[in-house]
Every structure is written in C-alpha cells, then in structure tokens.
Amino acid sequence: MIFELCATSYCVEAASAGEPTASAEAPVDLGALPPPMFDPPAASDVEPLTIKIASRLRCPVCQGMSVSDSPSKTAVEMKGRVRELVAQGYSEKQIVDYFVARYTDWVLLEPTFADHWAVWVVPGLGLGLGLAWVASTVLAWRKSAESLPSDVGELPKDSYEERLLRELDP
Amino acid sequence: MISSLGIGLVLAGLFFAAIGSIVGFVAGARRDAWLLQVARYMAYGYGASLISACLLMMYALLIRDFSVHYVSEVGSLSVPTHIAIISLWSSLNGSILFWGGVLGVYVIGMVASLRGRHPDHEPYAIGVLLAISVFFALLVASIANPFAPTELPIPLDGPGPNALLQNHPLMAFHPPMLYLGYVGMAVPFSMCAAALLAGRLDAGWMAPIRTAMLVPWTFLTVGVVTGGWWSYEVLGWGGYWAWDPVENASFMPWLTGTAFLHSAMVMQRRGRLHNWTLALGMATFLLTLLGTFMTRSGVFNSVHSFTQSDIGPVFLGMIALTFSSSVLLLALRSHTVMPSAAPPVSKPSSRETVMLLQNLAFASFTFTVLVGVLYPLVMEGWFETRVTVGQPYFDHIAVPLGTAIVFMMGVGPVLPWGGVSEAAAGRSLLPALGAGVVATVIAAVAGIHHSMVLLALFVCAFALAANLGEYTEPVGVRMKRGEGVFTAMSNVLARGRRRFGGHVAHLGVIVATVAIAMSSAYKVEQDAVLTLNQSTTIGAWTATSLGTHEIKESNRSATVARFSLTKGGSDAGVIEPRLNFYPRMMEPIGTPAVRSSVAGDLYVSLLHVDDAAGVVSIRIMTMPLVVWLWVSPLFIILGTLMALWPERRALASASVAPAATVESV
Amino acid sequence: MKVNVPVLLGGLFITAILVAMLGSGFGHDPREVPKALEGRVAPTFSLVSTDGDPVSLADLRGKPVIINFWSTWCQPCRQEHPLLLMAPSQYPDVVFLGVVYADEPAKVKAYLKSGGQTYPHLIDPGGRVSIDYGVAGVPETYFVDVNGLVIHKEAGPIWPDLLAELVPKMRKP
C-alpha cells in the first residue's frame, strides 16, 4: 500500500526516467518560474513568512536541521532563495512545491499525510490500543474491588483527616 | 608495550566476565553461597580489568603513543592535554572500550551495593550483567580493538579527534554523562531479569531495582540536557534539540526509564503492574542498545554518527538476542512474579489510574519517536524512497503529549492510592487548578498571547501548585498542632524523603517545560549583513560591527568578528562570535557568541566573512528564559539525592502507616 | 509451565520487525541525497563566467552539456579537477560548464589560475542555479543530453569510465 502511494509521487517520476522523450506535453523547465500568485507582500511580512517556510524545509547538507535554522552556506543560500520568492509574491505552497520539484519530498521535514500516512496512523493506533488497555485495566481493578465484602477502598471524606493519613504514607 | 598490556587487560576482563556469568547462573540455580562469592570476585575482576584498560588508553593518548592504533587515529601532538584525554570517546573503537569500562564501574557498583542481602536474586543479576559484559569485552577484543598495534612505520603525529569534539568544554562532560546513563541501564535490566529467573519479585528486591534505575536515569537526564546545551553553544543554529536520530535514541530510554520509576511505585506500594514494570525496565536497556546501534552502525545520518564500520551487524545480532531473550523470559516466567493480593482500587479517580495514564503517555511518546526514527530507514531499505521525518513531525507529537504529562504530574500526587469519589477528587484538585488559572491570566495580561504557551503555563502552574501543596499542607497541619515552622518542615521532609525527592524532580520538569515553551515560542531571529561600524537592532539589543581578525591556536585557526553591544541604549560590552578552521575540515565550524541572563539570551552566530568586501554576515537572535533549561537537571539531581539518601533510621522512628510501608524502604 | 502466549508471540513479532527494519538500513548511505532531476529537463539559466562572458543554457540546446558544481573548499572537487581539465579535448562536441557553489569569485579565480582552466566556470549569485538543480553538496555533475534532459546526476567525483559511458547516450537525439 505504501509502495503504491509512493508509486504515485516520487517513484513514478523516477520510473519515467528511462523514456523521457515519450512525454507529449512540454516538460517543465525548473529554471523558468511561473508568475507569482500574489502581489509582493509588505516588507515587514517577508521575514516571518520566510522563517515559516524555511522551517519546513530540510537543510540538505545538515542532519535534522531546517533551512531556517542551519548556519551552513547551503542553508543560508536556500533561505535567501525563499526570502526572494516570498518578496516576489509567491505563496507558501508555491515555494514549498518549488523546492519539492528540485529535491523531491525528501526536502520536507514533515512527511505529508497523503504519501506517508503510516508514520501518522501507526502511532495513533498505538495510542488507541494503549487507551483500551488502560480502560480495561481500570475496569478490572474496579470489578475486583466491588467483589470485596467491605468498602476498604473508601477514604475519609474529611480533608484534614485525609491529609493526616496521607502524611503518614511516605 | 601498551598495546599488549591493553589487549591483555581486555582479555582478562573477557575471561572474568565469561566465567563469572556462568558461575552466577549456576550459583542462582543451586543457591550455592560459595559459587556466588566466586561470581562476585569475577565481577570485580571484570570491572578492574576494563577500568584499567580505559585508564591505560587515556595514558596512551596522553603520552601520544602512536604505536597504539587508536592513538594514531585520534591523537595529535597539537591538541591540548584535556582534549587528548577526552579523545577516548571521540571515535568508534575508543567509545566501545569506554562503554566496557563504564560497565565495569556499574558491575562493581551493583555487587558492592547489594552487599549480599539478596542471595536469591544477586547471582542471577551478576550472571546477566556479566553476560552483557562478555559481549562488550568481546567487541573490544575483536572487531573494535583500540589497542591493536599500529602498522609500521609508526607515524610521528596523528590527525587529532573530530573537530566538533574539540570545539567546546561541554564535550568533556556530555558524553560521559550519557554513557553513564546508557550503560547503567544494564543494571536494572539484569536485576529485572534476575527477578524473573529467580521467580520472585518482592518489595525487598524491587527497592534496589528502583535505585539501580534512578542512578543511570539521573545521569541520562543530565546527559540529554547537556547534549542540548552543547548543541546550543556549538552548532550555531540557536536551538538545542533537533530531533536528530541520535538525540531521539537517548530520549527514548529516558522516557521508558521515567515511566518505570512511576510504575515501580505502583508496584511497590500497591502490588500491581508487575509485568508491565519489568517490561519497562528491560525495554529501557534494550532502547539504549538500539541507541548505541544507531550511532555506530552507519545506517543513521546524524551529527553524532561515527563513520561506517562493520560493527553494525554484530550489534544487530546482539539486539536480536537480547530482545528475544527478554521476551522469552517475560513470557515464560512472568506468572512467577504475580502478586497474591493487592489493595483494591475502588474508584477510577485514583493515583493508580493517573499512573497508568502517565505510563501510557510515556509509552506512546516512545513508540511515536521510534516510528519517526525508523520510518525513513524502512522507506529507503524496503521501498527505495527517501523521506525525512524531522522536527515539525516530532513537535506535533511532543507538544500535546508533553502537556498531558505535565498535567498528570499535578493530578497524580493529589489523588490518593485506592481512589476517592469524583467529587472529592475535584475538591482536592481545585486549589491547584485555581493557581493554574491565575498564572495563565497573569501571563495573558503580561502580554503572552501564544495559545500553546498559555496552555503550557497553565499546566505548569497547576502542577507546581499541586506538588508544592503536597509539602505545604502537611506542614500546615503540623503547625496547627503546635509545631514551629522549621520543625514542621523538617519533620514532614523526614517522613517521606523519597516522595519529596519525586516532587523536587517534578519541579525540574516544570522549570524545563516553561523554558522550552517560552524560548521556542518567543525566539526572535534576524539575519544581517554588516559593514564596518554598521549596526543591527533586535529587541533592546544593538550590535555594531567592529571588524574581524584572525587568530591561530595550536589545533585550529579562527576568524573572529567583534561586535560592540548596547542594551536599552547603555553599553553592554563586546561579543566575539567566531568561525573555526580545523586542518581536516573543509567548511569552518562556528562558535556562536551567547550572552546569557536569567531573563533570556542574546545569541549571535557568524555565518560568513567576506574580507574583500569588508562585510560580515551574522544571524542574531534573542530567546527568553533559555538558561533555565540548563538549570532544570539540578532539581532532578537534588530530587534523586533526596530519594537515595540513606533513610532507614528516619523511617524506623517514623510512625507506621497501614499495609504497604514496609515495602517502601 | 504457564506460558504467556500473547507476550511471547507479540514480543517475538515486534523483535523480528524491529530487527528487520534496522537491518534494512545496511548497504544504504544515509547521507545520500535523492536525485529529483534525472529524466527531467535541465533547468535553464543565464550566468556570467569568471572571465566575464555570459553563458545561457538555452542557447546550448542540441548539444550535450556536462555541468559540474564545485567549490575551492571541497577536497573531492580538487581531486576530479585534472580529469575535468582533460575532458573537453577528449570530447570536443560536449560543452563543459563549471558552476561555482557557495564560494567567493576571488578565490575561484585564484584557484583556476594556478590549477588550470579549459572551460568556463560560472558564478552563481545566491546559489540560485544550484538550488534549481537541487544541489546538496559538491561536487555534483549533471549530464544533459541533446534534448536538454538530465540523463544522470553524479554526486561525488566523476571518473573517466563514467564519461565514456554517458557521453554516447547524451549524443543520442
């Protein structure tokens, strides 16, 4: 299943490498950008959006650091490119797509749900199973307590007395 | 000379460990006191041999004996003495030797501290721990042998250790702490396994296991935090945690270890969760093995990775063996440690329930991090697809789980064991909830509008009030009965050092949470390109470029940029971020300049210097409260010391609580 | 003997999966970067060489082009430099272009003066072209065929047999 999903994005592109001339429509030239989607933003908006976008991108030469964070030359240049594109009015999606087209979705620090749902669903399943386990354990505890003849589990309601009891309980 | 002596010591260690392990198991099965004594001597023998081997290697590094292969790999005449010594853990083979040596310390520590009081369990614990030692001694003696003689001709000088290791004094501190944390997890593992092998897990054996977990857990806490600190001070990116695979590797055992410390409490006090606790204790060590594999196998990309080596498959074999034997032990023997009876839990609103939920949160956290770490590996290995799982993914998981954990940290201590009615539980939580609301309102009025930060502050204030209340209320009760303030305070402390140790550790977590929330949400950064005497302003700070100069040190050269600082208009001195050039590195490694205060840091990272144009590029940022993150482990250390401080006298004189008190020593 | 079957089966299952996952990493270089551009049109660019001559990739359509990204601070780049120096005389129909990655023009000029130069080296202000090509380190070499498609990307230094293998493919229309 994962493989099929993969086959619709990156892998297809890799597979088409063998027969590049077959594509009928004009192939995209990554060197020529489509026009920006918006008017150039106000100067004060450029930097926050730059940091936001660059934080989603992986610095290709670093380990685990984002383009926004890394002080490496490559990251600084990539961040500069993000800043340039933001200033020209490109949208966040356009800019992210721009980098994905060049570096594949490997450049995204967070895997997309569409292509990599397993990395999101599996921990969720784990948490769900865990919650079921907690619930069943607590219920089992309660049942065994109810089967006891007396109300040994009942604690004094009075807070003063309660505190004293607990103080003694190291 | 040193080569042969070192190899001799390692082989002796291997011999002691192998014999001791077998003797230990036999002594356990036969309940033979004499054999147990033999196993103890073997354990001491292993410890002494491997510790001596480590010291010998340090000596070889110190005198730069390049006839030892490892020294020729990482030694250099040009590096200062302290760097020569810490080179012991700077490269693969040395680090495995160091592993073995630290294990030696723990082997001796375990045998010495058990003091023969647990004749049923001790032989098995020694047997298992020495079996682990056999593996590491074997590694050191064979494929990772740092003592191998250098091929002739012996070089006159060596290249020196990894430049990143030379760059900051924390490198002398962070790796040993982490090793003490990692390696030490072998002890609770062995003791848990001993409980299963002996078929008995009573409170008398659970107490030393908890101590055995608490010690390496504290080291691991310090190691993880100092690792973040090092990253902050050295890597120049203004952050401290990148969810790098190896950071994750150290974080996972910390999570399960923390869960263990809590579930062990449920087990000791209430006789529940035996198997789960044992599984957690064993999983913690298994995760440290996984972490060691991750740094040394060359299959993960990380700032910490050693170079590729053939140690990976061997280590994977060890992981497979240890995992499956742990599973077998649990599956075949867990019925032997089931308690006969446990105090009832009459209401779901009980401390047991909170502990269970807390354990679930920690376990899910661990599982998620594991999935995130393994996912790229699997996608590449099985599907030939390259994918990154990075910071934003982990942050999305960590923020809700972390918030829930801190919240439960406040609920747990307030609810009694066994449960109370929902109404009573609500009543006892009210004061702390009130404190949380008040703190949140104050923060909002003070200008904090980031919703996640407000939520974090709410849970922190709530947990703080709840944990403090656990101390102040009994003090108040005692004062009402006529005790003086100080008498009451010390009396309350004396009654439950262990418990208050826990509360103090909780304070550390609260401090860290506030620091993390504030420093990440209110970090302000900007990039600037400055010509001479040009300045840039960030918040109250203004930095003015004073130009650059070059300096030469024995092991590196550096370009230093000088900036004069003003804060709020008044002079604040000079800072000097720098770029270091090491002979073997192509790109420079920066050392950022950090101006720390309790309120927040100013952080300046030098990105680039263009001499021809006379400009410097810098990244400058401010982060509030970040210092408190480095301070937070002190609370945890203090809490651990309180919990571990011998308190038998104190308890003997204390009044006896019903049922479970005897177990809690 | 009482065996806890769920623990046994579940635990062994998890162990097997985990070991298989960890083992799957062997033989892969974790530092390798994906090759997004292979099989796609080489991004066009117009840059100025260190000698001040403008070079536009669009004008070179119809010719095989080898684009080598490098910098003076990169040791492997220096290693492959002699090979690249010789290559243009060996393959006169192929256009060789160097693109300077994250480096200063002055240093590049000095290096070329002492190390030799047989084809233009282009200055890439702000790393734009490097980013367009998805460069994630140096050296990287892109082999562009007569149709303007990238048929291969080599990360790391190239070697003579690689040229001998790829140049004929690049000539095929």
Side-chain angles (χ1 to χ4, degrees), chain B residues 201-328:
Chain B
L201 180 55
D202 49 15
W205 183 237
M206 202 56 215
I209 300 187
R210 259 185 82 182
T211 306
M213 176 64 85
L214 198 54
V215 171
W217 177 84
T218 306
F219 283 120
L220 189 59
T221 309
V222 176
V224 168
V225 175
T226 50
W229 193 3
W230 171 80
S231 170
Y232 179 77
E233 296 279 347
V234 170
L235 297 182
W237 61 295
Y240 36 80
W241 192 259
W243 298 99
D244 168 293
V246 175
E247 288 169 352
N248 291 338
S250 65
F251 190 49
M252 287 188 283
W254 186 86
L255 288 171
T256 52
T258 313
F260 173 90
L261 289 174
H262 291 84
S263 77
M265 206 144 62
V266 179
M267 215 210 88
Q268 265 185 298
R269 300 294 316 281
R270 310 297 290 179
R272 294 185 189 278
L273 300 179
H274 281 63
N275 291 336
W276 172 246
T277 305
L278 288 177
L280 274 178
M282 297 175 87
T284 304
F285 175 64
L286 297 175
L287 286 169
T288 66
L289 277 186
L290 188 74
T292 317
F293 172 80
M294 284 166 66
T295 36
R296 282 163 186 79
S297 62
V299 304
F300 288 92
N301 190 9
S302 149
V303 67
H304 302 73
S305 285
F306 293 93
T307 42
Q308 303 260 7
S309 83
D310 47 5
I311 210 169
V314 180
F315 228 99
L316 189 59
M318 168 72 173
I319 289 180
L321 186 68
T322 322
F323 265 73
S324 40
S325 2
S326 308
V327 168
L328 281 178

Side-chain angles (χ1 to χ4, degrees), chain A residues 30-111:
Chain A
L30 294 173
L33 280 177
M37 205 173 257
F38 304 108
D39 293 332
S44 60
D45 295 340
V46 171
E47 201 56 27
L49 188 55
T50 302
I51 290 175
K52 182 169 176 241
I53 296 170
S55 303
R56 291 177 57 190
L57 304 174
R58 169 190 186 136
C59 157
V61 298
C62 327
Q63 291 103 37
M65 261 183 237
S66 73
V67 163
S68 178
D69 286 334
S70 168
S72 76
K73 288 179 186 175
T74 306
V76 169
E77 288 192 338
M78 284 173 80
K79 194 176 180 182
R81 187 74 179 125
V82 174
R83 192 176 287 127
E84 212 175 284
L85 293 171
V86 168
Q88 286 171 17
Y90 286 95
S91 70
E92 179 169 347
K93 184 177 180 313
Q94 274 181 311
I95 297 172
V96 168
D97 289 348
Y98 168 92
F99 283 96
V100 169
R102 283 154 183 80
Y103 290 91
T104 75
D105 57 8
W106 169 83
V107 80
L108 299 176
L109 275 172
E110 184 162 65

